[in-house]
Amino acid sequence: MAAVSDTIAQVHSGIDSSNKTLLKSEALYKYVLDTSVLPHEPECMRELRLVTDSHPWGFMQSSPDEAQLLRMLIKLTGARNTLEVGVFTGYSLLATALALPDDGKVIAIDVDQEYYDIGKPFIEKAGVAHKVDFRHGPALDHLDALLADESNVGAFDFAFVDADKPNYVKYHEQLLRLVRVGGTIVYDNTLWAGTVALPPDTPLSDLDRRFSAAIKELNARLSADERVEVCQLAIADGVTICRRLV
């Protein structure tokens, strides 16, 4: 057994929006950002991203290329009613709100109101606050509340999940009822800094070991789930796109 001193520091230490990638070449990632991502990032998103980078938990925000992917997916699928489970300061939420049509809506759920309050002024400045329905509290409870109303079953076109990893498999079952057949569910952090492929005896921090195990369980379940079609992408910290089949 590895000594305590040999334990790897938390795998997301030192990460912000400029280097949140699984690419082995930082120069290549910078090229991607500089060529096709940052030139098209709305100013309001850039401002919020940079503010969040200075936060102690800034590594939790979505990367700019991932946010670009979310915007593209929403536009490609024509999504109008969406869900976001896990908001933090709202960078990905702002991306979603900007991509939705003017009469679109995103129900955004997070247990930390204070983090959302950091991003709220940027959402308002962008003129998309009318599209955002923020709900404070545990996501499992809020999703259950939505399911209690039959009109919400199959009523959503798109969902993005970036919350507590041990509950991902529970969110999946709830979202499969809320998102319509043909709709899209996107999960963030599904490669957890590459730890999902490390040997079982790799000395990780307690948090990384727990979260990596939860993500591995999710990935196995999604791969075997005949109710969805799955696409795993090595963007940011790993992104999995699910299309509901039945």
Side-chain angles (χ1 to χ4, degrees):
M1 180 179 295
V4 174
S5 60
D6 295 331
T7 299
I8 298 173
Q10 288 190 9
V11 292
H12 294 99
S13 299
I15 288 177
D16 61 24
S17 66
S18 68
N19 60 2
K20 190 173 187 179
T21 178
L22 293 168
L23 289 177
K24 294 182 179 179
S25 168
E26 289 189 12
L28 180 56
Y29 184 54
K30 184 177 186 301
Y31 173 81
V32 171
L33 292 181
D34 290 346
T35 303
S36 62
V37 179
L38 298 183
H40 305 287
E41 181 183 38
E43 181 63 18
C44 56
M45 288 184 60
R46 186 188 74 84
E47 292 175 352
L48 175 54
R49 175 171 58 82
L50 295 179
V51 166
T52 306
D53 277 344
S54 65
H55 192 280
W57 296 97
F59 66 86
M60 294 198 305
Q61 81 168 326
S62 299
S63 65
D65 52 330
E66 181 181 9
Q68 184 185 58
L69 172 65
L70 292 176
R71 290 165 58 204
M72 180 69 77
L73 287 173
I74 288 170
K75 292 177 181 179
L76 285 173
T77 59
R80 305 180 75 85
N81 295 312
T82 72
L83 291 161
E84 180 155 335
V85 180
V87 175
F88 190 41
T89 65
Y91 181 68
S92 59
L93 175 59
L94 180 52
T96 295
L98 287 168
L100 288 171
D102 194 59
D103 62 347
K105 184 72 69 175
V106 51
I107 294 177
I109 306 168
D110 202 291
V111 293
D112 289 304
Q113 174 84 43
E114 63 180 294
Y115 294 155
Y116 170 70
D117 287 342
I118 294 173
K120 187 177 179 181
F122 296 90
I123 293 172
E124 293 172 342
K125 181 180 178 181
V128 294
H130 65 285
K131 302 180 189 179
V132 176
D133 178 359
F134 178 77
R135 304 190 181 185
H136 176 234
L140 291 174
D141 294 344
H142 280 292
L143 295 177
D144 274 342
L146 287 172
L147 285 167
D149 182 347
E150 281 295 322
S151 67
N152 289 322
V153 175
F156 295 88
D157 307 302
F158 186 93
F160 177 57
V161 183
D162 183 11
D164 50 322
K165 315 313 167 189
N167 278 322
Y168 268 29
V169 293
K170 296 178 182 178
Y171 297 143
H172 184 63
E173 294 304 318
Q174 293 172 309
L175 292 171
L176 276 178
R177 296 177 60 197
L178 290 166
V179 173
R180 64 174 174 80
V181 172
T184 307
I185 307 171
V186 179
Y187 294 98
D188 196 13
N189 303 110
T190 55
L191 294 177
W192 200 251
T195 60
V196 292
L198 293 177
D201 59 350
T202 301
L204 298 172
S205 69
D206 289 342
L207 181 146
D208 288 321
R209 184 169 299 283
R210 287 189 297 107
F211 281 23
S212 182
I215 290 297
K216 289 172 72 173
E217 179 185 1
L218 171 77
N219 291 338
R221 286 176 178 252
L222 293 181
S223 179
D225 193 339
E226 296 181 351
R227 299 168 296 177
V228 294
E229 182 178 8
V230 176
C231 179
Q232 171 78 70
L233 301 176
I235 289 178
D237 197 31
V239 175
T240 300
I241 303 171
C242 302
R243 185 172 72 91
R244 184 183 168 190
L245 299 176
V246 294

